[in-house]
Amino acid sequence: MDRFKRFTRAVFLAVQRVLVPCCLFLAYIFAVGAMAALDRIFHFSPRPCAPGKTFWKETLKGGGEAADAAEQS
C-alpha cells in the first residue's frame, strides 16, 4: 500500500507540475481574447484631449496660500 501511495503522489505531482502552468496559460489566452472581443464590439478609443492639451485648471490668485501652507493643522 505504501508503494501505491508513493506512486500516486508522484503521478499527482507530475500532473500538477504540467497542469497548473497549462491552465494559467489558457486563462491568460482566454482573458486576452475576451479583451480583444470587447474592443472590437465596443470600439474602445482614447478619450479626446482637453482644449490646450491639459486638464489642469487655473486657481484663484490669492496671497495667503504660502502662509496657510506654513501653518500646522
Side-chain angles (χ1 to χ4, degrees):
M1 193 65 169
D2 192 39
R3 266 177 81 189
F4 181 71
K5 274 188 176 180
R6 282 187 286 149
F7 174 74
T8 56
R9 179 157 175 82
V11 169
F12 175 76
L13 291 176
V15 168
Q16 182 181 10
R17 189 170 274 182
V18 172
L19 198 60
V20 168
C22 288
C23 288
L24 289 173
F25 179 74
L26 290 175
Y28 173 76
I29 294 297
F30 175 74
V32 170
M35 297 300 338
L38 286 173
D39 181 47
R40 291 192 182 211
I41 290 171
F42 295 109
H43 305 290
F44 293 130
S45 60
R47 293 181 181 178
C49 291
K53 302 288 186 190
T54 182
F55 285 103
W56 289 100
K57 296 181 181 177
E58 290 293 325
T59 61
L60 297 175
K61 303 291 184 193
E65 293 175 6
D68 289 340
E71 291 181 9
Q72 184 176 4
S73 58

